[in-house]
Amino acid sequence: MTELPDRRLLLVHAHPDDESINNGATMARYAAEGALVTLVTCTLGERGEVIPPELAHLTGAALGQHRLGELRDATRALGVGDVRLLGGAGRYSDSGMMGLADNDDPGCFWQADVDQAAGHLADVILEVRPQVLVTYDDNGGYGHPDHIQAHRVAMRAVDLAAGRGHQVGKVYWNRAPRSVVEAAFARLQDELPGLPFDKSASVDDVPGVVDDERITAAIDGGAHAAAKAAAMRAHATQIEVAGSCFALSNELAQPLFTTEYYELVRGPGQPGETDLFAGLGTGEAS
């Protein structure tokens, strides 16, 4: 068996592009520092809305395969080489936005048996033995069914893996402190005339915004800002990046954050962390 690096981080995301928007700077930082960074993506995002007109013909499985290529390019930009598709490529399909008929597709991730899907993830956990796992909160950050399901599967997989011999030391949820987001949008209003976007999004459009006291960790990825931006640009079907901002298919500008924030929900820690591995001693949770 190949010896694993001392620090191992596992991230669980719903679709290609979620990893770069939410955690691109964090992933690049830890990969550069020599940690094993493993990404598990649960679907190929086959129902995503395509931005570039020249790619508008991509739908369904063809879009999923294209987005898989984007995911590989994005993670390469982040320096991350361990990328998995939950249960194998195409095992679970995109569920579409909440309330649509797409949610009823028996092959979509929203309809997946949580224990079965969590079993696939637990297999990965047993293989790479992460001390830290990052995923969404119980609302998936903003209510998308695949994000909610990714949360359920990730949290269940942590328990299944513990029963099979590996205890994940710390579990974090992706967050954004309200004061930081509000200040970033205030700056964005001043920058908007020089951007290719006519309007900005709002604080409510940012997933995982919570009151500042909920934040337990802030990961400064400023040194890896270019890598995060490059990773986001790689997801060209979904994201348009312009300077320190970006827009999704709604063409509403949002700030691009290079400090990324987290809430610790399991494991040792306290507010003010600047390292997701803080509180895990040598050999702990290994």
Side-chain angles (χ1 to χ4, degrees), residues 80 127 248:
V80 172
E127 178 186 346
L248 303 174

Side-chain angles (χ1 to χ4, degrees), residues 83-229:
V83 181
R84 319 288 183 98
L85 280 302
L86 185 66
R91 176 64 180 83
Y92 301 108
S93 66
D94 189 336
S95 306
M97 299 301 289
M98 185 67 82
L100 298 180
D102 298 332
N103 304 164
D104 299 324
D105 182 343
C108 79
F109 190 43
W110 184 238
Q111 293 295 329
D113 179 272
V114 170
D115 277 353
Q116 182 184 66
H120 295 312
L121 183 56
D123 290 343
V124 178
I125 292 174
L126 269 291
E127 178 186 346
V128 302
R129 306 180 70 81
Q131 296 108 331
V132 179
L133 182 145
V134 170
T135 191
Y136 314 104
D137 64 15
D138 55 0
N139 189 46
Y142 71 108
H144 192 293
D146 287 333
H147 288 239
I148 294 171
Q149 190 77 318
H151 160 86
R152 294 172 177 170
V153 167
M155 300 304 288
R156 180 61 177 144
V158 169
D159 292 336
L160 292 178
R164 293 169 58 187
H166 178 72
Q167 182 68 54
V168 176
K170 302 176 80 174
V171 177
Y172 289 94
W173 292 344
N174 292 304
R175 291 300 193 193
R178 189 171 303 280
S179 68
V180 170
V181 176
E182 288 176 346
F185 271 101
R187 291 192 298 271
L188 177 57
Q189 295 307 313
D190 294 333
E191 299 169 5
L192 200 57
L195 296 173
F197 315 118
D198 293 332
K199 299 179 180 179
S200 75
S202 69
V203 171
D204 292 340
D205 293 315
V206 177
V209 175
V210 292
D211 293 339
D212 291 26
E213 56 265 26
R214 296 278 296 273
I215 304 299
T216 51
I219 304 303
D220 182 357
H224 305 282
K228 175 169 180 169

Side-chain angles (χ1 to χ4, degrees), residues 13-144:
H13 276 292
H15 315 105
D17 81 359
D18 292 323
E19 80 296 328
S20 298
I21 296 171
N22 286 277
N23 311 113
T26 299
M27 294 170 71
R29 170 180 157 175
Y30 282 111
E33 291 177 356
L36 173 61
V37 178
T38 299
L39 170 66
V40 175
T41 302
C42 299
T43 82
L44 293 176
E46 299 92 337
R47 291 189 166 101
E49 296 181 0
V50 176
I51 295 173
E54 65 271 20
L55 297 176
H57 63 283
L58 293 171
T59 60
L63 176 57
Q65 287 304 305
H66 188 90
R67 293 189 70 179
L68 178 57
E70 291 180 338
L71 179 63
R72 289 169 175 157
D73 290 343
T75 50
R76 188 177 304 115
L78 298 173
V80 172
D82 189 12
V83 181
R84 319 288 183 98
L85 280 302
L86 185 66
R91 176 64 180 83
Y92 301 108
S93 66
D94 189 336
S95 306
M97 299 301 289
M98 185 67 82
L100 298 180
D102 298 332
N103 304 164
D104 299 324
D105 182 343
C108 79
F109 190 43
W110 184 238
Q111 293 295 329
D113 179 272
V114 170
D115 277 353
Q116 182 184 66
H120 295 312
L121 183 56
D123 290 343
V124 178
I125 292 174
L126 269 291
E127 178 186 346
V128 302
R129 306 180 70 81
Q131 296 108 331
V132 179
L133 182 145
V134 170
T135 191
Y136 314 104
D137 64 15
D138 55 0
N139 189 46
Y142 71 108
H144 192 293

